Amino acid sequence: MKISTSYLSSNGFHKDGIAKLVFLLDGNVVKETVLDKGRISIGRGASNDVHIDNLSISGEHAVVVTTTDGSYVEDLNSTNGTIVNKVKVKKYIFADGDLIGLGKYKLRYLQDYTIH
């Protein structure tokens, strides 16, 4: 997956459009996280960038890494695993609209989100 370099700033991230994760619980949006830094940790532990206080989430569950080439998720040997589009993955390069499963939460990856 490639992201058009016409949208990249000098630090490698989108200027006009940037990727984000939309957190869903029972189909309702509960949180949105803009992928505006190179590495975002997700887990039950309070030290994570994205803290999810739920027993189905490991203390250090997964990381989302964003580079000039796109974003990917990597499972950190979590107990319940990381699911992308209904398939358990260890590492997965995102495409726009991918659905990630973490415990009872679903996350939608949106690639060219524009910040207003």
Side-chain angles (χ1 to χ4, degrees):
M1 173 182 69
K2 290 283 189 185
I3 296 175
S4 171
T5 55
S6 64
Y7 291 103
L8 297 177
S9 67
S10 60
N11 68 0
F13 299 112
H14 293 273
K15 283 191 229 178
D16 299 320
I18 191 164
K20 72 175 179 175
L21 292 175
V22 177
F23 289 73
L24 306 165
L25 181 60
D26 299 325
N28 298 309
V29 175
V30 293
K31 180 178 183 153
E32 294 184 4
T33 298
V34 176
L35 303 179
D36 59 355
K37 63 183 201 173
R39 182 181 189 276
I40 294 178
S41 61
I42 301 171
R44 194 174 70 239
S47 64
N48 288 286
D49 298 308
V50 176
H51 174 242
I52 301 174
D53 190 16
N54 186 277
L55 292 177
S56 65
I57 305 296
S58 294
E60 295 178 352
H61 197 99
V63 294
V64 174
V65 176
T66 300
T67 69
T68 57
D69 291 330
S71 300
Y72 65 88
V73 64
E74 184 171 358
D75 184 82
L76 299 176
N77 298 316
S78 65
T79 302
N80 293 318
T82 299
I83 310 296
V84 178
N85 301 326
K86 300 183 181 181
V87 177
K88 191 172 187 176
V89 299
K90 174 66 180 157
K91 188 174 186 179
Y92 180 87
I93 299 171
F94 288 129
D96 189 44
D98 279 338
L99 188 63
I100 303 97
L102 297 173
K104 65 180 184 175
Y105 291 87
K106 304 290 184 235
L107 293 75
R108 177 79 61 193
Y109 174 79
L110 299 176
Q111 187 168 306
D112 286 318
Y113 167 72
T114 301
I115 298 173
H116 299 284

